[in-house]
Amino acid sequence: MAATDFKDYYAMLGISKTATSEEIKQAFRKLARKFHPDVNPNNKQAEAKFKEVNEAYEVLSDPDKRKKYDQFGQYWKQAGQGFPGGGPGDMGGVDFGQYGSFNDFLNELFGGASPRSGRQSYSYRTPSGRPGGGFNDFGFPDSGTGGTQDTEAVIILTFAEAFSGVQKRFSLGNETIDVRIPGGAKTGTRLRVKGKGQINPMSQQRGDLYLKVELQPHTFFQIEGDNLVCEVLITPDEATLGAAIDVPTPDGHVSVKLPAGVRSGQSLRLRGKGWPIAKGGRGDQFVKVAIAPPKDLTPQERECYEKIRAIRTYNPRSHLAQVKL
């Protein structure tokens, strides 16, 4: 970045200059999710914003870079010159100056995979806390050159893909690999592909590729542990008299018996209809019922409800008469 092209990284992340490292990370994650190309396909403005927040985080998350940035302002990068063998854009024979951000370099290194090219959505980064150098949690270079070059790829799956398992194809430079993701993967699941990471320029050893799963939200199901949770609306008469209702499950619709007098918010358990468990079997599915009174009544329906109100003896609020401060 030229000295005349100064960017306010704090403003880009929407934080103050006194923000802690955790506040910086939280702000970055929020904006990265908002402007990620997976969420904004074919949106050039969002893509540019995504690169900007990456650039801002690269500097502010590094204590040494942040110190120089705070001290020298628009000239912070010039203050950090003096790398052996070349200027700050020269690292191990790779000219990073030709890339808009380090993510651009990673995309070229790993074959340019992006959702805009019609391939599956994933982005590369390396787990932090590993010995030596490599890259940090968000795909930017850590200091140091030792250790292996393990790489982490975030792969986004639908519920159907994660439930049944799926095979995905990755392009890593000139290499194409097929990875089978077993059924039962959940957000946060990490799968290791041995020997498919980056090559350490010092040791020439190749690290591993770690696939970290993220699930797209489902319109009906949610995962809690090994269980599936869903909500089903029922009518007042079904709640009062009981009924048999059809409920979607991963295996198709099943008939569920509602007991008479079921309460709104009460959950019914469908054993063995939940998420696949790694050691075998499946969790349960919990069906949370919510009573939904009709908004538009026919004259006949209104007459019936008025008759019920006139002869009803049950008062669910009778105990409130004894409530005092």
Side-chain angles (χ1 to χ4, degrees), residues 61-305:
S61 64
D62 185 300
D64 184 58
K65 291 181 180 179
R66 183 182 181 184
K67 182 179 179 180
K68 288 185 175 68
Y69 178 79
D70 291 340
Q71 183 177 1
F72 298 103
Q74 68 185 52
Y75 301 104
W76 74 272
K77 207 165 189 179
Q78 284 77 359
Q81 289 182 359
F83 292 92
D90 183 9
M91 182 180 292
V94 178
D95 180 14
F96 285 95
Q98 64 181 302
Y99 302 102
S101 70
F102 202 79
N103 276 352
D104 294 339
F105 165 69
L106 290 176
N107 282 337
E108 180 172 316
L109 177 64
F110 290 107
S114 69
R116 294 183 298 277
S117 65
R119 307 180 200 178
Q120 59 273 10
S121 302
Y122 57 97
S123 59
Y124 289 93
R125 56 185 184 236
T126 295
S128 61
R130 297 188 175 276
F135 307 97
N136 62 26
D137 281 335
F138 301 100
F140 300 108
D142 285 325
S143 59
T145 55
T148 59
Q149 301 292 293
D150 291 341
T151 303
E152 183 176 278
V154 176
I155 180 169
I156 300 175
L157 303 178
T158 65
F159 263 55
E161 290 175 331
F163 180 87
S164 302
V166 66
Q167 183 164 298
K168 290 287 187 179
R169 175 164 292 182
F170 292 85
S171 295
L172 305 179
N174 296 325
E175 182 180 10
T176 300
I177 62 172
D178 292 314
V179 178
R180 176 67 185 177
I181 300 175
K186 296 180 287 188
T187 294
T189 297
R190 294 177 77 243
L191 304 173
R192 178 188 181 194
V193 185
K194 191 174 181 180
K196 296 300 180 180
Q198 300 179 64
I199 298 177
N200 187 297
M202 301 297 292
S203 65
Q204 294 301 309
Q205 293 181 344
R206 190 170 185 180
D208 300 328
L209 170 64
Y210 289 85
L211 299 179
K212 185 177 180 180
V213 174
E214 289 185 5
L215 296 189
Q216 293 178 350
H218 195 275
T219 57
F220 183 72
F221 295 110
Q222 291 182 329
I223 298 179
E224 292 185 3
D226 294 321
N227 301 319
L228 284 175
V229 178
C230 62
E231 183 180 76
V232 174
L233 301 180
I234 62 174
T235 61
D237 58 284
E238 289 174 329
T240 302
L241 304 175
I245 62 173
D246 287 338
V247 175
T249 75
D251 308 306
H253 285 68
V254 299
S255 180
V256 177
K257 184 177 181 181
L258 291 176
V262 66
R263 287 190 171 190
S264 188
Q266 185 174 340
S267 292
L268 306 176
R269 182 197 297 261
L270 304 181
R271 296 188 181 276
K273 294 296 184 180
W275 204 250
I277 300 174
K279 296 181 180 180
R282 284 169 57 182
D284 301 326
Q285 179 175 335
F286 289 88
V287 181
K288 182 179 179 180
V289 298
I291 300 175
K295 294 183 178 180
D296 299 316
L297 296 173
T298 66
Q300 186 178 7
E301 288 173 330
R302 179 172 293 278
E303 181 182 356
C304 290
Y305 274 107

Side-chain angles (χ1 to χ4, degrees), residues 28-40:
F28 169 76
R29 286 178 172 173
K30 180 180 179 180
L31 292 172
R33 285 194 296 266
K34 179 179 179 180
F35 295 109
H36 196 283
D38 291 353
V39 183
N40 304 276

